Amino acid sequence: MLHHWNSALDNRKSVRLLFVDHAKAFDHVDHSTVVRKLINFGVPDILIRWICSFLIDRQQRVMVCDAFSSWVMLSGSMPQGSLLGPLTFIILIDDLTTGCMTHKFVDDTTLSEFINKGEPSTWI
């Protein structure tokens, strides 16, 4: 990203950026959407079943000092800190397209626009 931005500035262009951070991204993962996209990507059935078993019937509880809350069944979401979490979210946003340069990194997306100085933005 920095290379593109600096190159545009070196060529006397204006750089406009939009930074998007998907709030609570891992808490809003829809399992059926993940499975549908995996099928569309041609992921082997055995791997899809394995990922489904990882996502379904998950429980969580919270510990504060030495006290534990009761277990709660999760109906959606992706376990944070898991190796599959970032990969799953990237699969979810893979089809996010725009008319400008887009960089995606897990739950962050950066949109870049390069315009000649004094020209209006194409985003407006």
Side-chain angles (χ1 to χ4, degrees):
M1 288 186 303
L2 290 175
H3 171 73
H4 294 288
W5 299 342
N6 286 326
S7 293
L9 293 172
D10 288 344
N11 291 317
R12 307 188 71 92
K13 293 195 177 264
S14 292
V15 178
R16 300 221 172 117
L17 305 170
L18 176 65
F19 299 99
V20 179
D21 181 4
H22 302 275
K24 297 204 169 263
F26 294 97
D27 294 338
H28 296 110
V29 171
D30 181 343
H31 296 165
S32 62
T33 302
V34 171
V35 171
R36 187 181 76 250
K37 288 192 171 199
L38 291 172
I39 291 168
N40 290 341
F41 279 130
V43 173
D45 188 54
I46 187 92
L47 289 176
I48 293 173
R49 287 197 314 261
W50 179 76
I51 290 172
C52 285
S53 71
F54 175 74
L55 294 174
I56 296 171
D57 294 330
R58 297 198 65 85
Q59 296 181 5
Q60 75 176 19
R61 66 180 179 172
V62 177
M63 182 178 101
V64 177
C65 296
D66 293 330
F68 288 93
S69 69
S70 56
W71 287 98
V72 175
M73 186 67 75
L74 300 176
S75 59
S77 78
M78 173 61 62
Q80 294 186 33
S82 69
L83 294 176
L84 288 179
L87 175 64
T88 303
F89 197 76
I90 289 170
I91 289 168
L92 284 173
I93 66 170
D94 179 67
D95 55 358
L96 171 68
T97 58
T98 64
C100 62
M101 182 179 292
T102 305
H103 290 88
K104 303 171 197 170
F105 182 74
V106 188
D107 64 340
D108 295 311
T109 303
T110 303
L111 307 175
S112 304
E113 177 187 46
F114 310 110
I115 59 174
N116 292 322
K117 292 191 179 198
E119 288 185 6
S121 171
T122 59
W123 291 350
I124 297 175

